[in-house]
Amino acid sequence: MSNTYQHLEAVIFDWAGTIVDFGSFAPTQVLLDVFGSVGVPIRLEEARVPMGLAKWDHIQALGRLPGVAARWRDKFGDAMRDADVDRLYRQFMPLQVARVGAYSQLIPGALDAVATLRGRGLKIGSCSGYPRVVMDALLPLAAAAGYTPDHTVATDDLSPGGRPGPWMALANVIELGVRDVRHCVKVDDTVPGIEEGLRAGMWTVGLAASGNAVGLSAAQWQALDDTAREQHRAPAVAELQAAGAHYVIDTVGELPAILDLIEARLQRGEQP
């Protein structure tokens, strides 16, 4: 690799649990309501298992969890089929669009971190498990709060599909004019999001405290003492590390220091 371009060019952020919606509540709460409306109640911890996938895929994956699958079979006499997923997805979408604003608050430290990155000349990309209709509702709310990425890819913008495939991350690379995928960092709070970045050939940073695996609001997290925080943090860190994340931190506010470490590794000729 030429010495000319051995520096970071872009950071590609996830949305819920990463930049907005501390604890990633918007998707899970709607899923609880949708499954409950057809007489198959699911638990919050079940709704969180497939987080990071496109929402149709998320619903399908939920239907395959052993406990949910058993309840579905008890209710309907058969396993969940694609037509059932379609029906639940049609119920899910308008509710998600209507409620995404209630969970659109920026995660503490996000604006300062993004401002620091822009001050270093980095481009800001983004992608999400949300479909375009949800992103179209969320983007202006985020902009009003001060966050406007240079590019955003929704999970249904591309025909190959969403995570854990690399396509949304690579679409950002193309649109942002990044010269080398190894000069990109993917930041995400879910396993599929980390896998997305790795498959795209990027550095990856997992977020434990603000994300889906811990699943607490900012106020709930702040109210914990150090011992309780570590009890919640440890499984989330282990999950993201097992997925292959190069680094795991609590929230996006800690990202600038991690980028210093990645820059130093690039200068030494290391690759993701």
Side-chain angles (χ1 to χ4, degrees):
M1 182 164 56
S2 168
N3 290 330
T4 307
Y5 299 129
Q6 287 188 356
H7 61 82
L8 291 175
E9 299 181 58
V11 178
I12 300 168
F13 290 105
D14 176 45
W15 280 82
T18 297
I19 291 289
V20 300
D21 189 5
F22 197 111
S24 201
F25 284 95
T28 51
Q29 295 301 315
V30 175
L31 287 166
L32 292 180
D33 290 345
V34 168
F35 273 81
S37 73
V38 298
V40 183
I42 62 173
R43 300 188 300 275
L44 182 58
E45 56 268 29
E46 292 172 326
R48 291 189 179 280
V49 170
M51 192 65 75
L53 299 178
K55 296 312 167 205
W56 193 97
D57 297 332
H58 190 148
I59 293 169
Q60 183 187 58
L62 271 174
R64 293 174 175 172
L65 294 179
V68 178
R71 273 170 259 148
W72 187 275
R73 194 174 293 107
D74 288 344
K75 175 69 177 179
F76 296 107
D78 203 353
M80 182 186 287
R81 300 176 179 176
D82 285 357
D84 299 315
V85 180
D86 289 339
R87 176 163 56 97
L88 293 174
Y89 186 75
R90 287 193 296 269
Q91 292 177 247
F92 173 87
M93 286 309 307
L95 287 174
Q96 186 68 94
V97 172
R99 296 187 192 174
V100 71
Y103 300 95
S104 64
Q105 293 84 3
L106 289 167
I107 287 171
L111 283 185
D112 287 343
V114 171
T116 298
L117 271 49
R118 289 196 184 281
R120 298 181 181 184
L122 296 176
K123 298 174 181 179
I124 306 298
S126 72
C127 54
S128 176
Y130 284 139
R132 174 53 59 179
V133 65
V134 177
M135 289 309 306
D136 284 346
L138 178 55
L139 281 166
L141 298 173
Y147 177 62
T148 306
D150 299 318
H151 188 58
T152 298
V153 181
T155 194
D156 57 349
D157 285 346
L158 306 172
S159 58
R163 299 165 181 154
W167 305 290
M168 291 194 294
L170 293 176
N172 274 278
V173 169
I174 294 169
E175 183 65 25
L176 297 174
V178 174
R179 292 165 290 198
D180 193 322
V181 294
R182 295 170 293 187
H183 302 159
C184 292
V185 180
K186 175 69 201 303
V187 183
D188 207 293
D189 67 296
T190 68
V191 167
I194 295 300
E195 292 176 345
E196 171 191 27
L198 293 173
R199 292 181 183 189
M202 300 175 178
W203 300 92
T204 57
V205 178
L207 302 180
S210 66
N212 175 69
V214 168
L216 298 178
S217 70
Q220 290 171 326
W221 176 255
Q222 291 298 329
L224 298 177
D225 60 28
D226 289 345
T227 300
R229 285 188 185 182
E230 186 55 32
Q231 290 173 343
H232 283 82
R233 178 193 289 116
V237 171
E239 180 179 273
L240 292 164
Q241 288 177 336
H246 295 95
Y247 299 93
V248 179
I249 54 179
D250 278 353
T251 74
V252 69
E254 301 169 40
L255 183 63
I258 298 301
L259 297 190
D260 291 340
L261 300 177
I262 295 174
E263 286 275 14
R265 293 178 69 175
L266 280 172
Q267 291 298 320
R268 293 195 297 267
E270 295 184 41
Q271 302 178 16

